[in-house]
Amino acid sequence: MQLKNILKTTGSLHILLGLLIIFLLIFSVETIAGNASRETLLLVRGTADVVAASNLGIGFLLIICSSIKDQKSLKKVLSGELALMACLLVVALFNTFNAGTIVDGGPPPPFWVVLIVNPILCTYGLVKRKN
């Protein structure tokens, strides 16, 4: 798989995740939060829309970066994505292992897809010999 295709795939996964969060914010926050207060719902929406916008922006940034011709620069972008995913994975694992004590729980399954697939693709792109 070419580096530009890896960047397009990881970027598309970020966009998909951002759109999923927006969909959840519009249609089902009350379903997920259940009997949460109005203030809590507003806090969740205020945080989640920033996360959704960040994922959309990161996705578009990666897709735009896929047009870079220099292989060394593409690998730097992949390294940045891998560092971002490592940070997000640490937080997701922390939340999952501390569910019910410090936090309510870990991320839902769609987040795990991005948290696992993107680092695998980035690592593959960084270690493969032939571009």
Side-chain angles (χ1 to χ4, degrees), residues 29-44:
V29 171
E30 289 82 6
T31 306
I32 295 167
N35 56 0
S37 68
R38 178 167 160 56
E39 293 80 20
T40 303
L41 287 175
L42 291 174
L43 177 66
V44 168

Side-chain angles (χ1 to χ4, degrees), residues 22 50 64 81 91 96 99 128-129:
I22 290 171
V50 171
I64 291 168
E81 171 68 1
V91 170
T96 300
K128 77 174 196 159
R129 299 257 181 225

Side-chain angles (χ1 to χ4, degrees), residues 40-99:
T40 303
L41 287 175
L42 291 174
L43 177 66
V44 168
R45 282 188 171 138
T47 304
D49 64 359
V50 171
V51 173
S54 296
N55 272 292
L56 290 173
I58 291 167
F60 288 124
L61 178 68
L62 291 171
I63 291 171
I64 291 168
C65 285
S66 71
S67 65
I68 295 173
K69 302 290 184 210
D70 179 35
Q71 296 294 313
K72 190 174 181 182
S73 297
L74 285 174
K75 287 194 174 198
K76 286 181 181 179
V77 174
L78 280 177
S79 296
E81 171 68 1
L82 188 58
L84 172 68
M85 289 291 102
C87 293
L88 294 176
L89 191 57
V90 166
V91 170
L93 289 171
F94 176 83
N95 288 346
T96 300
F97 291 133
N98 292 299

